[in-house]
Amino acid sequence: MAAAMQDPSWTEMGEPPRPRGGLGLACCTSRPKPGKVEMPAPKGESGPPIWDTADLSWWDFQRRRWRTLWLMRTVYYRYKKLQGDTESMPEGPVQDALWEEVHKLSSKEMRMHAEDCKGLFIKVGQAMSAMVGQLPDCYTNEFLLLTDHLPVSTIEEVYGTIQRSFKMPPKDVFSEFDPEPLASASIAQVHRARLRHSGEIVAVKVQHEGVDRIFTEDISTLSTVAGQVAFWSPDLDFRKFADEWAESLPHELDFTHERGAIKRAGDALRNAGNACIVPTVHSKYFGKHVFVMEFIDAGPFLDLADAEFCKRNNISKHEVLTSLLDAFGIMAFKDGMFHADPHAGNVRLKLDTSAPGGARPVLLDWGLFRVITDDERLGLAKVFHSLANFDMAGLFDVLESLGFALKDEAKTDQFKRDLLDKCRGVMKDTISRDQTRADAKEALKEYKARLDRAAQQNDEAQGSYSPIYFLEDWPSCIIFFMRMLQIVRGLCVAVDADGMPILQIFARHAKEALQEGSRQLMISNRLRMFQGRDGRPNLPETPRAVSPTSVELARNEGLEEVVQQALAKLLEAKKIVGAQVAIIQGSRLICEVAAGTLSSIDARPVEKDTRFPLLGATPGIAALAFLRALRRQSKELLAEGLSPADLLKKTLVRQIWPKFGGGTSQVTLAQLLSHSAGLQDAYPKEFHQSTLDDVAGVAAHLEQDVLSVARETRYAYLVQAFAMAKLGDCLAGQDDVLHWLGLELGPLGLDAAQPMGRGREASICRDLPHLARVSMSEVQSARARRLQAESSPVAPGAEFGGSSGSTAGAPASQAEEERKASTLLQAIANDPLVFDPLQGNAPQGGLFRAGLSLGASARGLAEMFSSQELQADLEELQALELAGQDKTAVGWLLTGGASQWTTGGLQALELRPSGAKALLGHRQGGYGVVCGFGPIVAHFPDLAPGGVTLAVLVNDVLHGRQAVTELLQAALQGFGVVPTWPSMTMSVMADAHKLAHSPEAAPLVDKVGGIEGLKKMLDLSVAAEAPAGKSSPEARGRCGGCGEGVTKVRAALVARLGGCCGHG
């Protein structure tokens, strides 16, 4: 720096010097004098090209406009002709050479046109220079020249602009001023100078004369080009992009806005501790066309591509790029303002051994920035959080709230899945230039295949590749955000930084921004996010009795302290996000505890009246409502000589639901309620996300002859909820499940509600960090799935519930093909995202979501289950008699191990003595509703005088079963018992191993990465235990649940699965 300060090329302020040869680091282009046709002078020869636009006439502007339109037409028809010429030509070197020749010619013409016309064309070229691997190399190489060797204003024009802005001669402000600019861009150029009053070396940014006229004209031209391109190819409709650029132009031409942006960004990054540097602006010398800022000695950012440079300076480019990506995540999601033009000319590199990676990115030229509202900022954050977690329901909910509007033909499950895949593909981890180029070729190949099919089927929508074609409207905030993201990604590719986890980094900042936004209640009613799971206006509460059932409050402080400690440990271990526990003994509420937050992105605390999603527990709760209605109408349904105790076992379902099973089914109510009716093999062939709200459609499907002949007990996940909803309609005349539950169970204390109930419901969480890493294998698998779906479309009339989706699945026999239904595993293989518990967060449709979205509080569930009136109903109908047991691994997982059913649709539960009571005590029986994802409510009539009822609710489905088991163990230890059902038996393990290798499960296993992927997903290990009594002492261990001596294999398994060993 000292040497630079004494550089003899610096000029003492006085008469304006003549321009020197050599340009240095420039970033824009020039236009020759009218009447001349010449290229910009090479660096170091006759001097830099001069930015001479102040005297352009009306004719000059018209000529620029028509030259642009003519060039656009020439390039378009050149490519169309080549496309036709090569259509019948085989792929290979000859065809590639023809395309390469056209790419070179067109890219050179476009670059020369931008250099000649300047203005907005420079910015467009600079943005395209960052699309390394996405555009042919000749394009990015040509456009990279637009970030260097660009025209400059004369020093006389520079001095004149400074004097007009500061109202004083430049020599009164600067003691020295370098006449050669450090850089020149499309709007301004930057000079190095020394302030007279302080001697500080500064950078002076001076706007080119006449640039405002050029940009205004270019915006008009760009709008015309956008309209013509949209006419030629609807896939490339960027008229809204042109409109957004026109709106931002006045801010870019007024440097007072840029000064504010620099200060705001610098403060945000410094406060966040980010390594990126943003220059500070001098507080005194600034105006609309000039401002003075800190001088930063930094080199080209693309030096990171040089392995020798990185090695010589001990630089880790991945760490440096992480700082850069962190900076944009902070700006976009936490501050709400970001640099919208971070191409290689605007991002520099400053060596700093104290910085992460050994260097700091420097962000310059803040003329093009974007400020977004809190709604937009948090909405975009929710988009990235949803993409990172493969949350399709959350993604499309927030897209709708942000202002995305799909055309009618795009409102299908297939399109939504394809769009999710493509969005994740855009955010994939960075890959090399060669891989990026190969991926772009594969995408082009897919596009051509779609065009061919569209031509054959005369279907314009089928041939479209761009999501823009399917949008009626989209928010303006997304335009510059995606531009920024694309350019930053291009920088990573340009420096050969493979494996940069862009989505993971952005999603982390998005999650933190959402958490802070929820704490500050910054979200508006328009954006459905924190106002309950769907944020719609509050509706009336669930129908209840005139005065809700209340229990006597008699808290057991010791028990509550134990439960609170268990919750604290689970929160510290990140096994729960939010939880509630309620325990009632007799009619006394002895424990009620809440902890954690409403979701992983909603940091508001869980309260005692917060409702949690019921998920797979909804059918069991609905069974209770059905039993109460059934008892009231028992006299009408009973045949002569039968008692209420015979009602469940001897009444056919079709006596209540006449069309069930084709109207000829012999299934009894007890069989249906205990999951022994064959519903587990009766999923609709086209079971997709939109089906989850279609109660009438699924009910109509179950009214066909689709039931499995086998009557073995198998848990009918999701489908059971539809059957219970239809039964409620047939028996009680209630076609609204929520209203029905409120009428039947509300008087007993249940406070069930739909997501919009009060705006403080907990949300389902499933945050998997590895999902935020998008690999090329995922992108390729998604592309293959799309090709398979498109090559085997659903036959007309075969779509179910208005959905359309992939028909991929296991090869089926002719008999299976003739069936109108699918098994659970076939349905999962066909569309796995339907079975994602996060579907319960979706607000669209009738809010049924197969019962997943309905919510209740732990106290409401416990009050209902402890009701003497409910227990009387169960006893009279003999609804607690044991029925079948699901012994499969799938059943065990989905029911949390509680797979023994009763005739009334409840789950039989058992407690065994532990500790001091292990030898003298006896097992306790009970019943309840248990979901493998967490929610549980259980009643044990003989555990203590008056019985004990427990309800535990959690919202993290990844660790739900394990967390609930630990909470139950903590709550029950005072009673001297532990639950037995969470223990995985050897038979279940054996079935899991058998299932993983079965042909039926092959499609599902393949989709999760084979057997190893399945083990990783389920976190299970199949192992054989040595026979009891034959293990050596060294092979023995202790169960973490009850302390019993068990083999080390079983002890390790228990440690991984949670719960207890099951030994007494």
Side-chain angles (χ1 to χ4, degrees):
M1 178 63 76
M5 293 171 63
Q6 299 178 14
D7 187 341
S9 66
W10 281 49
T11 303
E12 294 289 341
M13 293 305 300
E15 292 298 319
R18 297 179 61 84
R20 299 182 309 170
L23 182 61
L25 300 169
C27 1
C28 199
T29 92
S30 72
R31 181 182 186 279
K33 287 287 188 179
K36 291 186 178 182
V37 180
E38 59 184 18
M39 292 292 293
K43 181 178 178 180
E45 293 182 6
S46 59
I50 301 300
W51 184 289
D52 190 1
T53 57
D55 59 349
L56 291 181
S57 65
W58 176 88
W59 171 247
D60 292 323
F61 281 115
Q62 293 304 310
R63 190 174 64 164
R64 291 175 76 253
R65 180 185 182 90
W66 285 108
R67 287 176 60 195
T68 301
L69 297 176
W70 183 258
L71 176 62
M72 175 197 69
R73 179 188 181 281
T74 300
V75 172
Y76 176 79
Y77 281 108
R78 180 185 295 150
Y79 276 102
K80 291 294 289 184
K81 183 179 184 303
L82 180 61
Q83 184 180 5
D85 293 343
T86 59
E87 188 171 348
S88 59
M89 184 182 297
E91 294 184 5
V94 176
Q95 187 183 118
D96 291 344
L98 290 174
W99 281 101
E100 183 70 15
E101 183 180 351
V102 171
H103 291 330
K104 287 182 178 179
L105 176 60
S106 300
S107 61
K108 186 172 183 178
E109 287 179 346
M110 293 171 68
R111 190 264 300 169
M112 292 175 64
H113 180 74
E115 288 180 334
D116 186 33
C117 292
K118 300 182 290 295
L120 193 59
F121 304 111
I122 297 299
K123 283 196 171 295
V124 174
Q126 289 171 340
M128 295 175 73
S129 72
M131 299 174 67
V132 178
Q134 301 172 60
L135 290 177
D137 285 349
C138 50
Y139 273 92
T140 53
N141 292 337
E142 285 286 345
F143 293 147
L144 196 61
L145 297 175
L146 299 180
T147 62
D148 202 354
H149 306 291
L150 299 178
V152 299
S153 296
T154 66
I155 196 64
E156 292 87 354
E157 291 172 335
V158 169
Y159 285 172
T161 302
I162 293 174
Q163 182 155 345
R164 286 192 299 273
S165 296
F166 294 160
K167 309 299 182 185
M168 64 179 72
K171 64 181 180 180
D172 292 349
V173 180
F174 307 105
S175 59
E176 295 178 358
F177 196 95
D178 192 340
E180 180 178 337
L182 294 169
S184 180
S186 55
I187 290 179
Q189 62 191 50
V190 178
H191 292 261
R192 185 171 57 173
R194 189 194 302 274
L195 289 176
R196 183 171 293 280
H197 75 281
S198 65
E200 177 188 358
I201 297 177
V202 293
V204 185
K205 184 171 181 178
V206 185
Q207 190 172 115
H208 300 302
E209 284 195 52
V211 73
D212 51 348
R213 296 175 62 208
I214 291 180
F215 267 75
T216 302
E217 174 66 22
D218 288 348
I219 284 293
S220 176
T221 302
L222 183 63
S223 297
T224 302
V225 171
Q228 185 61 57
V229 171
F231 174 78
W232 282 335
S233 179
D235 280 6
L236 302 175
D237 185 354
F238 58 92
R239 287 173 292 184
K240 197 156 186 174
F241 292 76
D243 294 341
E244 181 70 6
W245 223 322
E247 183 180 334
S248 68
L249 182 59
H251 296 285
E252 194 169 1
L253 295 173
D254 185 347
F255 285 175
T256 58
H257 293 287
E258 181 175 355
R259 173 182 179 268
I262 290 175
K263 184 178 186 308
R264 177 172 173 175
D267 291 344
L269 296 181
R270 281 189 290 271
N271 292 338
N274 184 262
C276 287
I277 298 174
V278 177
T280 57
V281 179
H282 201 282
S283 59
K284 182 178 180 181
Y285 300 114
F286 69 90
K288 291 184 65 174
H289 303 109
V290 181
F291 70 87
V292 177
M293 57 185 165
E294 172 189 8
F295 176 80
I296 300 174
D297 187 15
F301 193 78
L302 296 184
D303 282 348
L304 289 176
D306 185 349
E308 285 299 320
F309 170 83
C310 293
K311 182 177 181 181
R312 183 170 61 254
N313 293 283
N314 197 26
I315 291 176
S316 168
K317 61 184 172 185
H318 285 81
E319 289 189 55
V320 175
L321 286 169
T322 297
S323 296
L324 182 67
L325 293 172
D326 279 332
F328 280 92
I330 293 166
M331 289 187 288
F333 299 130
K334 297 177 179 178
D335 182 64
M337 187 208 73
F338 56 86
H339 196 308
D341 196 24
H343 59 75
N346 290 340
V347 182
R348 309 290 286 174
L349 189 69
K350 181 176 177 61
L351 300 180
D352 185 346
T353 56
S354 65
R360 297 178 183 271
V362 182
L363 300 178
L364 303 174
D365 193 354
W366 285 78
L368 187 58
F369 63 93
R370 188 66 164 87
V371 178
I372 53 179
T373 66
D374 284 337
D375 277 4
E376 294 169 334
R377 174 175 65 84
L378 295 176
L380 289 171
K382 179 64 183 298
V383 167
F384 271 76
H385 179 77
S386 299
L387 286 174
N389 286 281
F390 232 112
D391 180 5
M392 183 181 289
L395 174 64
F396 281 92
D397 183 32
V398 74
L399 288 179
E400 180 185 345
S401 301
L402 275 172
F404 286 88
L406 293 176
K407 294 180 179 178
D408 290 338
E409 61 264 37
K411 295 178 180 178
T412 64
D413 293 316
Q414 178 67 52
F415 175 81
K416 291 179 178 180
R417 175 60 193 272
D418 289 349
L419 186 60
L420 174 63
D421 287 336
K422 289 178 180 178
C423 288
R424 284 179 59 87
V426 170
M427 312 295 177
K428 64 180 175 291
D429 293 1
T430 57
I431 51 181
S432 68
R433 293 190 184 199
D434 290 340
Q435 287 179 303
T436 302
R437 193 177 300 110
D439 182 50
K441 288 182 178 179
E442 285 297 318
L444 181 60
K445 184 177 179 181
E446 180 184 2
Y447 178 42
K448 290 180 178 179
R450 291 176 67 94
L451 287 177
D452 292 341
R453 284 192 297 272
Q456 294 171 6
Q457 302 171 16
N458 194 26
D459 184 356
E460 183 183 8
Q462 169 72 12
S464 180
Y465 183 74
S466 171
I468 293 176
Y469 177 86
F470 296 97
L471 292 174
E472 293 280 6
D473 194 16
W474 65 90
S476 59
C477 66
I478 199 70
I479 295 172
F480 280 117
F481 184 91
M482 291 307 298
R483 182 179 190 270
M484 171 270 289
L485 186 64
Q486 185 182 54
I487 295 175
V488 170
R489 180 182 185 83
L491 281 178
C492 296
V493 176
V495 298
D496 293 322
D498 294 359
M500 289 304 301
I502 295 177
L503 178 57
Q504 186 180 64
I505 292 174
F506 273 48
R508 173 166 51 82
H509 292 290
K511 181 178 180 179
E512 293 170 358
L514 289 167
Q515 291 173 336
E516 183 59 27
S518 67
R519 294 188 188 99
Q520 302 297 327
L521 301 179
M522 298 175 68
I523 209 69
S524 74
N525 293 338
R526 183 183 67 81
L527 196 61
R528 301 194 296 266
M529 196 175 305
F530 300 129
Q531 218 185 10
R533 277 176 282 145
D534 80 355
R536 298 177 184 179
N538 291 345
L539 295 183
E541 289 289 319
T542 307
R544 299 177 58 149
V546 176
S547 58
T549 300
S550 61
V551 293
E552 178 185 352
L553 194 62
R555 292 217 166 92
N556 183 325
E557 294 183 359
L559 177 59
E560 285 197 340
E561 184 178 356
V562 170
V563 173
Q564 286 172 341
Q565 290 176 353
L567 284 169
K569 289 182 180 178
L570 289 169
L571 284 169
E572 184 179 2
K574 296 183 178 180
K575 291 182 179 180
I576 60 172
V577 175
Q580 283 179 337
V581 179
I583 305 175
I584 295 176
Q585 181 176 341
S587 60
R588 298 177 302 143
L589 180 66
I590 61 174
C591 176
E592 185 179 18
V593 179
T597 60
L598 296 180
S599 80
S600 59
I601 61 172
D602 189 344
R604 293 178 296 172
V606 171
E607 298 174 353
K608 293 177 181 178
D609 60 349
T610 297
R611 291 184 175 98
F612 278 70
L614 292 176
L615 296 172
T618 297
I621 303 301
L624 296 176
F626 175 75
L627 293 173
R628 284 181 57 76
L630 186 68
R631 185 189 180 191
R632 285 201 313 272
Q633 301 184 33
S634 59
K635 293 182 180 180
E636 302 174 13
L637 295 171
L638 282 173
E640 186 176 350
L642 295 181
S643 67
D646 301 317
L647 200 58
L648 292 175
K649 290 181 287 186
K650 297 189 177 181
T651 302
L652 299 180
V653 175
R654 59 186 173 86
Q655 291 179 244
I656 297 174
W657 180 359
K659 295 183 180 180
F660 177 75
T664 60
S665 171
Q666 298 300 307
V667 173
T668 65
L669 292 176
Q671 287 176 321
L672 178 64
L673 293 174
S674 62
H675 298 261
S676 303
L679 291 185
Q680 73 278 359
D681 295 327
Y683 290 85
K685 281 285 189 180
E686 295 301 317
F687 192 65
H688 298 292
Q689 295 168 68
S690 57
T691 314
L692 297 177
D693 286 320
D694 192 359
V695 180
V698 177
H701 167 76
L702 296 177
E703 290 173 353
Q704 302 176 50
D705 185 15
V706 295
L707 299 181
S708 172
V709 177
R711 290 290 179 262
E712 59 181 330
T713 301
R714 297 277 296 280
Y715 180 52
Y717 182 57
L718 297 185
V719 180
Q720 186 81 0
F722 291 97
M724 297 309 305
K726 182 62 178 179
L727 276 177
D729 185 15
C730 294
L731 183 64
Q734 295 293 331
D735 59 357
D736 183 283
V737 176
L738 177 67
H739 191 76
W740 178 43
L741 294 181
L743 288 176
E744 297 291 350
L745 303 176
L748 305 184
L750 181 67
D751 56 351
Q754 53 196 5
M756 64 182 68
R758 296 172 301 179
R760 291 300 295 268
E761 294 84 5
S763 296
I764 305 163
C765 307
R766 181 193 41 69
D767 291 358
L768 287 168
H770 72 271
L771 282 181
R773 300 295 300 269
V774 186
S775 64
M776 269 307 300
S777 61
E778 178 185 325
V779 175
Q780 292 165 350
S781 297
R783 184 174 292 134
R785 185 189 60 78
R786 288 196 299 271
L787 291 173
Q788 182 180 10
E790 290 162 3
S791 60
S792 304
V794 180
E799 295 182 357
F800 180 84
S803 66
S804 64
S806 170
T807 58
S813 66
Q814 182 176 356
E816 289 174 328
E817 287 292 343
E818 292 175 356
R819 289 193 71 238
K820 300 176 182 178
S822 301
T823 66
L824 171 61
L825 291 181
Q826 288 171 339
I828 294 175
N830 186 43
D831 194 346
L833 290 181
V834 182
F835 297 86
D836 187 347
L838 294 186
Q839 292 288 349
N841 289 336
Q844 61 260 43
L847 292 169
F848 184 61
R849 308 310 290 170
L852 298 172
S853 66
L854 301 182
S857 69
R859 177 171 177 173
L861 289 170
E863 283 191 25
M864 173 196 67
F865 246 73
S866 66
S867 165
Q868 294 294 324
E869 190 175 341
L870 177 64
Q871 293 172 35
D873 291 335
L874 299 177
E875 290 175 7
E876 181 167 345
L877 295 174
Q878 294 196 4
L880 300 179
E881 286 190 11
L882 294 182
Q885 181 176 7
D886 188 344
K887 298 180 180 180
T888 65
V890 173
W892 186 91
L893 285 169
L894 294 175
T895 62
S899 56
Q900 172 71 63
W901 298 93
T902 72
T903 54
L906 300 176
Q907 288 148 281
L909 306 173
E910 187 179 65
L911 305 172
R912 65 172 179 78
S914 66
K917 298 182 179 181
L919 297 177
L920 301 178
H922 60 278
R923 298 192 175 225
Q924 300 281 344
Y927 56 88
V929 178
V930 185
C931 172
F933 296 119
I936 176 175
V937 55
H939 179 73
F940 300 96
D942 301 322
L943 185 58
V948 175
T949 305
L950 305 93
V952 181
L953 299 176
V954 296
N955 56 356
D956 184 346
V957 296
L958 281 180
H959 307 97
R961 179 180 51 79
Q962 182 179 357
V964 167
T965 298
E966 293 185 26
L967 288 171
L968 283 175
Q969 290 172 344
L972 291 170
Q973 69 178 14
F975 296 94
V977 291
V978 293
T980 61
W981 64 90
S983 307
M984 178 179 275
T985 64
M986 292 295 107
S987 62
V988 171
M989 293 185 198
D991 183 72
H993 188 271
K994 179 181 177 181
L995 177 65
H997 294 83
S998 69
E1000 186 182 22
L1004 175 60
V1005 173
D1006 290 343
K1007 287 191 176 186
V1008 298
I1011 298 298
E1012 292 304 317
L1014 184 64
K1015 290 179 180 178
K1016 182 178 180 180
M1017 181 181 73
L1018 299 178
D1019 195 28
L1020 296 176
S1021 293
V1022 179
E1025 182 183 358
K1030 296 184 180 181
S1031 304
S1032 65
E1034 291 77 18
R1036 302 295 292 175
R1038 291 277 175 189
C1039 170
C1042 63
E1044 295 286 346
V1046 294
T1047 65
K1048 286 187 175 181
V1049 170
R1050 182 180 285 273
L1053 186 63
V1054 168
R1056 297 189 70 181
L1057 296 175
C1060 201
C1061 65
H1063 288 174

